[in-house]
Amino acid sequence: MKTSRAKAAPNRKSGVSNSKGIFKGGIFRLIFRILKLVIVIFVVGSVFFVVLYRFVNPPVTYLMIERGFERKSAGKEWKIDKKWINFDEIADPMKRAAVAAEDQKFLDHFGFDFKAMEAAIDKNAHSHKLQGGSTISQQTAKNIFLWQGRSYLRKGLEAWFTILIETFWSKKRIMEVYLNEIEMGDGIYGVEAASQAYFHKSAHDLTSYQAAAIASIWPDPLKWSPTDPSDYVRHRQYLIRKNMRRLGPLDF
């Protein structure tokens, strides 16, 4: 009798141990399934919106909403001044100024300029003032689908959306969306709104000088002005005009 009881005890312990293992295994499988579902939803959703925005103009961006709340918290009125203008209606100097200022290899790369990124990393390692190495495609992906910031998560998502828009959009569409959504001042977005605010004319009629002036403020549009430039901004305008003259034909 004693022997049979002694043998029964280990069996009970083994049963408890097995149940715990099954429970843990079930939790891990559930977590894995949820994670897999989230990834599938994200991939399908991101592809859907990228394809949608190939044909439909993005109505608003996260940055516009964020800036709107910043204005409200500062006691200002809500403001999103944005007027869409089709690519073919934008003056050629404005397109050249964008390429000259931000991404001179725009028509040649698939979303990434690795030499520019390496140069920016090297310069940032020896400077307190950060310099970006993002292409126009990367900036467009960030402006349309993401938030501002420098986290590894956001940069990873930026790379993902950059690949998607380079795959599903043309260079012409990328430039069109970029020029219509980029921040141009306090509550001002896109070249049409900027052109009317600063030069009282449509982006269709911008001169080379005016286009370079608008492009010169993109790194810090809330502090810099195209019509009242500091010496530094004036020098940027000069360099942009110089690069515009060096560019060959832009075949969109």
Side-chain angles (χ1 to χ4, degrees):
M1 294 293 292
K2 292 181 178 179
T3 303
S4 62
R5 288 174 183 171
K7 289 182 178 179
N11 291 336
R12 287 196 298 270
K13 291 180 180 179
S14 177
V16 172
S17 177
N18 288 339
S19 65
K20 287 183 178 179
I22 293 172
F23 178 74
K24 289 182 179 179
I27 288 295
F28 287 138
R29 283 196 295 271
L30 178 61
I31 293 174
F32 176 74
R33 288 175 182 174
I34 293 174
L35 181 60
K36 185 167 65 173
L37 179 62
V38 169
I39 292 174
V40 170
I41 292 174
F42 169 75
V43 171
V44 173
S46 58
V47 171
F48 171 79
F49 279 104
V50 167
V51 173
L52 177 67
Y53 286 158
R54 176 181 177 181
F55 307 101
V56 178
N57 299 329
V60 70
T61 67
Y62 180 87
L63 178 63
M64 295 176 189
I65 297 173
E66 181 182 15
R67 294 289 194 239
F69 281 112
E70 288 176 358
R71 285 180 58 88
K72 291 292 288 184
S73 64
K76 301 178 182 178
E77 293 183 357
W78 182 277
K79 178 183 178 183
I80 297 180
D81 184 4
K82 182 169 80 81
K83 301 175 180 65
W84 189 275
I85 182 171
N86 293 331
F87 181 85
D88 293 333
E89 297 176 2
I90 301 173
D92 287 337
M94 188 68 253
K95 303 166 190 174
R96 294 182 69 83
V99 174
E102 297 294 307
D103 186 2
Q104 296 179 39
K105 297 180 181 179
F106 172 65
L107 293 176
D108 300 322
H109 61 60
F110 189 73
F112 305 94
D113 185 346
F114 294 105
K115 289 185 177 180
M117 293 167 66
E118 290 175 3
I121 292 171
D122 182 64
K123 185 171 182 179
N124 292 338
H126 302 88
S127 174
H128 295 293
K129 187 175 183 180
L130 295 179
Q131 173 182 312
S134 298
T135 63
I136 285 175
S137 300
Q138 288 175 275
Q139 293 179 51
T140 303
K142 176 191 67 177
N143 291 342
I144 302 304
F145 299 104
L146 301 170
W147 63 95
Q148 303 298 306
R150 294 183 177 274
S151 68
Y152 288 112
L153 173 61
R154 205 229 58 182
K155 292 299 291 185
L157 292 175
E158 177 186 295
W160 165 249
F161 279 105
T162 298
I163 293 171
L164 288 184
I165 66 174
E166 283 282 350
T167 301
F168 292 104
W169 297 3
S170 64
K171 290 289 187 178
K172 178 178 178 179
R173 179 57 174 171
I174 293 174
M175 179 62 76
E176 180 181 43
V177 174
Y178 176 75
L179 290 177
N180 275 285
E181 301 290 342
I182 188 170
E183 187 176 29
M184 299 283 194
D186 188 11
I188 302 173
Y189 303 91
V191 293
E192 178 65 13
S195 180
Q196 294 188 16
Y198 297 122
F199 298 109
H200 311 293
K201 60 168 64 176
S202 171
H204 176 75
D205 301 315
L206 287 171
T207 65
S208 295
Y209 182 88
Q210 293 165 341
I214 288 176
S216 70
I217 70 168
W218 288 345
D220 201 345
L222 298 183
K223 293 182 180 179
W224 297 347
S225 169
T227 54
D228 185 22
S230 64
D231 291 339
Y232 176 74
V233 175
R234 197 182 305 277
H235 182 64
R236 280 184 55 82
Q237 295 174 2
Y238 163 77
L239 293 178
I240 292 170
R241 292 196 303 273
K242 187 177 181 180
N243 289 334
M244 289 170 67
R245 292 191 293 269
R246 288 178 176 177
L247 288 175
L250 298 181
D251 186 12
F252 289 98

